[in-house]
Amino acid sequence: MYDVLSNIPEKTIKCLDKGHVSILDVMPRLVPEDRKTADFAIVQAARVSYGDGTKTVNEDKGLIRYLMRHKHTTPFEMIEFKFSVKMPIFIARQMIRHRTANVNEYSGRYSIMKDEFYKPEIDNIRQQSSSNKQGSGDSICETDASTFLNQLDEICEKTYTEYEKSIQNGVSREQARMLLPVNLYTEWYWKIDLHNLLHFLALRCDSHAQWEIRVFADAMLNLIKPIVPWAIEAWEDYHDHRGAMRLTRLEVDALISSFGGQSVVPLKTENKREQDESKSKAAKLGLSVGQIEK
Ligand SMILES: Cc1cc2nc3c(=O)[nH]c(=O)nc-3n(C[C@H](O)[C@H](O)[C@H](O)COP(=O)(O)OP(=O)(O)OC[C@H]3O[C@@H](n4cnc5c(N)ncnc54)[C@H](O)[C@@H]3O)c2cc1C
């Protein structure tokens, strides 16, 4: 048997100034020697529903791509990842919204919170976005960034000193922590299956997500890529937050009015089923598909 974690030379990726994402474990951790990646478990599960038909490596990959294209998602739930994540509390608050993960967090009731605060780089203090009410835009000028960072330093130092003092004065740890700001680092174990992780990554690697959470999501994506390369390739090709896009009925009507009757080049794939699916989509748009050039 082959240990899929040996595909990853560095199991920890540093994130922001003091955070990290580490991959601790995977299910399946051991796969047949000739497979080498956990993609194997997706195919294995799918065969329970589709029978023993597909066997070659190419057919296995084609099956994974078919499942991803058609949102047959449960085989992707057969793979699980356990991460250790150290991140600022305001990022943990965004991550915790992903209810399909199992979480166990460092306890600020049981232990003293460490004196570790996130301090962004000076060129990464961003202006409020003018187009997205929730997002940020370009960097602010260096003077304003510097003023903000000095305030941040001052507040972190002062609040942590008051936190320590309160604990020495007998205030419980669970209440003393009310003094601390949300850029304090926390740490947790985070376990999630591949289907729900891909949902998380689609939302949080996206440009609409806050830059700080994207750093963590990108790190997770880089860690899992060598473990499930075929699933990731299919996700990159077919997910509408990645390389693909979904059209509304109004957009379909507009495309038919603008391009109906025209011919389009065929897909760059050898997969006959995928070509046929694409032809039938083209037909819905009133398009015909040209011949593959030899
Ligand atoms: C760019 C961005 C901006 C955001 N802004 C805000 C904001 O301003 N305010 C805010 O409160 N949140 C905000 N969120 C969080 C967002 O609304 C979701 O809570 C978060 O992305 C988790 O998504 P999810 O529920 O699909 O994921 P998960 O909780 O992981 O769930 C995965 C899927 O499981 C299903 N599911 C899970 N639990 C249930 C349930 N109880 N009932 C039915 N189906 C369920 C759903 O299909 C769901 O899509 C934002 C997220 C993003 C990415």
Side-chain angles (χ1 to χ4, degrees), residues 27 40 50 96 105 110 133 141 167 174 184 210 234 247:
M27 185 187 84
F40 156 80
Y50 291 136
I96 203 76
E105 187 174 6
Y110 191 82
K133 287 194 177 139
C141 73
I167 289 173
E174 67 181 8
L184 184 77
Q210 180 165 348
L247 299 176

Side-chain angles (χ1 to χ4, degrees), residues 94 96-101 134 192 196 199-200 203-204 206 208-210:
Q94 295 185 350
I96 203 76
R97 300 302 305 279
H98 295 267
R99 296 159 288 179
T100 43
Q134 219 178 27
I192 193 164
N196 284 298
H199 176 67
F200 169 83
L203 294 173
R204 302 299 183 171
D206 191 83
H208 293 94
Q210 180 165 348

